[in-house]
Amino acid sequence: MREQEIAESVKRALDEDLKGSSGVEGDITALLIPENKQAKAVVITRDNAVFCGKAWTIEVFKQLGNNVKITWHVKDGDFVQANSPLFTLQGVARSMLTGERTALNFIQTLSGIATQVKTHIDLIASTKCKLLDTRKTLPGLRNASKYAVLCGGGHNHRIGLFDAYLIKENHILACGGIQKAVQMANTQHPELWVEVEVETLNELQQALDAGAQRVMLDNFSISMMHEAVTLNKTHPQRADLEVSGNVNLDTILGFAQTGVDYISVGALTKHIHAIDLSMRFIDDAP
């Protein structure tokens, strides 16, 4: 993640709470507290979770005046038990209270993604299959979500529409077939990898013949996945096979055991269960 992107994301989030006001001046409730009042607080997780969001938290309090010291008890990617402390804050009480929800919103969302990823990965740990995310992310949080996937132990699919080809049904129809679509992609950007989404074994054959580097098996049954793996192994232009569709906690292991290389899951970044967090003042700082 680029520091500038994190800073811009945090600024937008703070603007939502403060109506664009500078610092804590937009937080009318915090202004009830004396300006120089010092405090100490701890943030804990109420859930078991994989933590993610350190850089966003640091940036929140930086933008609010850099008058709060953060002592970290975890780092991104750490698995934490429920009721464990994540970090301690000490400094100006107003800034702590103004930044609390913004910081916790980033943490609960990104940690939710990382935790979801780990849950899926644990189920397929006995296989060689890798877990991928998708572009089904919250608008404006694409790269942050992709980073959270990495913290959870997963792998990133393409970042956007610019860094790899994913030729789907409508692309195939508009281009006049799989062969033509792949040829055009290789002509326009030979440095980028090409993936083709297929719905039948016949389309898989066409994608392999065309030289696709990865083939997405869309909504294949397990028996079709086994056939696809066999076909791919015997083809002179072997591709990586990716499974997509109907993937959940009940089906993912069976899919992975077919021998496919990747499984992509949109739910990792769109069906987010936010982690339950709590910030509590613990005493007055000297």
Side-chain angles (χ1 to χ4, degrees):
M1 286 291 300
R2 294 183 299 111
E3 290 184 9
Q4 180 181 351
E5 184 175 352
I6 293 173
E8 291 170 352
S9 183
V10 167
K11 184 179 184 304
R12 287 193 299 269
L14 287 172
D15 284 348
E16 289 176 338
D17 261 342
L18 302 174
K19 202 177 180 180
S21 299
S22 175
V24 300
E25 297 305 311
D27 182 355
I28 60 174
T29 311
L31 293 178
L32 298 174
I33 301 167
E35 182 177 0
N36 295 319
K37 174 72 174 180
Q38 298 289 298
K40 187 174 183 180
V42 63
V43 173
I44 67 171
T45 174
R46 301 293 188 187
D47 298 322
N48 293 339
V50 176
F51 177 78
C52 182
K54 181 176 179 179
W56 288 263
T57 303
I58 293 171
E59 184 63 27
V60 166
F61 292 104
K62 176 182 176 183
Q63 292 192 22
L64 289 174
N66 219 15
N67 52 21
V68 174
K69 177 184 177 183
I70 308 175
T71 301
W72 290 96
H73 309 303
V74 297
K75 62 181 184 298
D76 285 353
D78 282 353
F79 179 78
V80 290
Q81 299 284 346
N83 300 312
S84 297
L86 303 177
F87 55 93
T88 303
L89 301 171
Q90 187 164 348
V92 176
R94 283 186 180 182
S95 295
M96 286 187 204
L97 292 167
T98 298
E100 173 187 2
R101 179 42 50 198
T102 299
L104 267 55
N105 280 348
F106 280 112
I107 295 171
Q108 70 181 22
T109 301
L110 299 181
S111 297
I113 292 172
T115 304
Q116 177 90 298
V117 170
K118 184 180 186 305
T119 300
H120 283 74
I121 285 178
D122 285 348
L123 292 173
I124 61 173
S126 61
T127 74
K128 295 181 179 180
C129 187
K130 295 180 180 179
L131 183 70
L132 296 174
D133 54 24
T134 71
R135 290 189 301 115
K136 296 174 182 177
T137 55
L138 292 172
L141 285 179
R142 169 69 52 77
N143 287 333
S145 298
K146 295 273 188 179
Y147 171 75
V149 168
L150 298 179
C151 287
H155 299 265
N156 293 150
H157 204 281
R158 58 180 182 160
I159 301 301
L161 298 174
F162 57 88
D163 56 330
Y165 285 98
L166 178 50
I167 301 169
K168 298 189 175 186
E169 178 184 13
N170 289 330
H171 299 103
I172 293 168
L173 289 172
C175 288
I178 290 175
Q179 182 74 34
K180 289 183 179 180
V182 173
Q183 285 179 343
M184 184 63 70
N186 286 329
T187 298
Q188 291 183 352
H189 288 286
E191 76 280 6
L192 299 180
W193 56 266
V194 179
E195 179 171 6
V196 178
E197 181 184 79
V198 302
E199 298 178 351
T200 67
L201 290 167
N202 179 263
E203 289 179 348
L204 169 61
Q205 181 71 56
Q206 293 179 53
L208 294 174
D209 291 344
Q213 293 157 298
R214 186 182 297 176
V215 181
M216 179 184 291
L217 310 177
D218 183 41
N219 290 304
F220 271 41
S221 66
I222 284 185
S223 62
M224 289 174 65
M225 291 178 203
H226 280 292
E227 290 185 67
V229 169
T230 299
L231 174 60
N232 189 42
K233 284 181 178 178
T234 58
H235 197 279
Q237 299 187 94
R238 185 190 184 283
D240 290 334
L241 296 184
E242 174 187 338
V243 165
S244 178
N246 296 318
V247 183
N248 55 52
L249 296 177
D250 294 324
T251 62
I252 190 169
L253 177 58
F255 291 174
Q257 289 174 332
T258 63
V260 295
D261 302 286
Y262 299 99
I263 296 178
S264 55
V265 184
L268 300 177
T269 52
K270 71 184 182 78
H271 295 170
I272 304 168
H273 172 76
I275 302 304
D276 187 8
L277 305 171
S278 176
M279 186 181 92
R280 289 289 182 267
F281 277 24
I282 51 180
D283 57 31
D284 288 335

